[in-house]
Amino acid sequence: MRKTALDPAAPLVFDTAELRGAGTTMHVALEIPAPEAYGLESVYAVPKGAVLDLDIHLTGVSEGVLASGGVEAVAEGECARCLAPVQDALSVQVQELYAYEGSVTEATTEADEIMRLEGDLLDLEPAVRDALVLAMPVTPLCRPDCPGMCAECGVPWDELPDDHVHETVDPRWAGLEKLRLADNDGESK
Ligand SMILES: [Zn+2]
Ligand SMILES: [Zn+2]
């Protein structure tokens, strides 16, 4: 008996036995919870348990099974400039060939170029995860022109008046200020 590393009960693992050699298509239209977080958790990610909306066709071809279609999910994180919460609806395309064991494709490609079927089990998760992570912004923003926050007090500029400034004491005057305070101390004794 063949040992498989894939769990047939995992939400993104599909049994494609009926597609073998038939040139038939299986339509996967499912909403499932993300089995793990995709992205950088608390920075920007599709959180674990968030809904993955799959609309994917699995088609039997001579060398394996072709998975193609779309995935939608909501990513959450924080704005890189002002730290406000950010939510984006991601919509990505998946297009991936899964080679049959013993196929020419399997023999002539590396596992990191072309995905593999394990027996008849096809694991969509890596393709779904990669497509979603690739669609994530390098710098998540609450809006494209977010002004960020004041470097002095860390308050978002959106919440500050236009004329917001911090009084900065000239270091030379700061020195005099210390002397003056020291004098006062002397007098008070
Ligand atoms: Zn922002
Ligand atoms: Zn400030």
Side-chain angles (χ1 to χ4, degrees), residues 67-87:
S68 72
V71 180
E72 291 179 8
V74 174
E76 295 172 5
E78 56 187 29
C79 176
R81 291 186 196 150
C82 74
L83 306 182
V86 175
Q87 247 193 12

Side-chain angles (χ1 to χ4, degrees), residues 13-172:
V13 173
F14 299 93
D15 185 345
T16 64
E18 64 179 88
L19 302 177
R20 271 209 184 238
T24 48
T25 290
M26 185 194 282
H27 186 199
V28 178
L30 274 181
E31 288 192 355
I32 58 160
E36 58 179 285
Y38 301 144
L40 269 180
E41 237 173 331
S42 87
V43 177
Y44 193 87
V46 172
K48 181 179 180 178
V51 174
L52 300 178
D53 191 343
L54 308 179
D55 183 3
I56 290 177
H57 286 90
L58 304 178
T59 306
V61 294
S62 59
E63 289 295 301
V65 174
L66 183 68
S68 72
V71 180
E72 291 179 8
V74 174
E76 295 172 5
E78 56 187 29
C79 176
R81 291 186 196 150
C82 74
L83 306 182
V86 175
Q87 247 193 12
D88 294 319
L90 301 181
S91 180
V92 298
Q93 294 298 307
V94 171
Q95 180 94 1
E96 201 78 55
L97 176 68
Y98 289 74
Y100 282 131
E101 292 170 334
S103 66
V104 175
T105 301
E106 190 196 36
T108 57
T109 61
E110 299 295 328
D112 55 3
E113 303 172 56
I114 303 281
M115 308 282 284
R116 268 63 166 133
L117 286 154
E118 291 192 17
D120 285 311
L121 295 181
L122 183 155
D123 184 8
L124 259 186
E125 197 191 354
V128 167
R129 182 189 54 223
D130 288 356
L132 286 170
V133 170
L134 273 176
M136 291 179 180
V138 178
T139 306
L141 295 175
C142 61
R143 59 174 208 268
D145 60 347
C146 170
M149 56 196 184
C150 171
E152 290 284 328
C153 63
V155 175
W157 283 110
D158 281 345
E159 295 169 21
L160 293 169
D162 286 345
D163 60 354
H164 172 76
V165 284
H166 292 266
E167 299 298 339
T168 47
V169 178
D170 187 302
R172 288 166 297 180

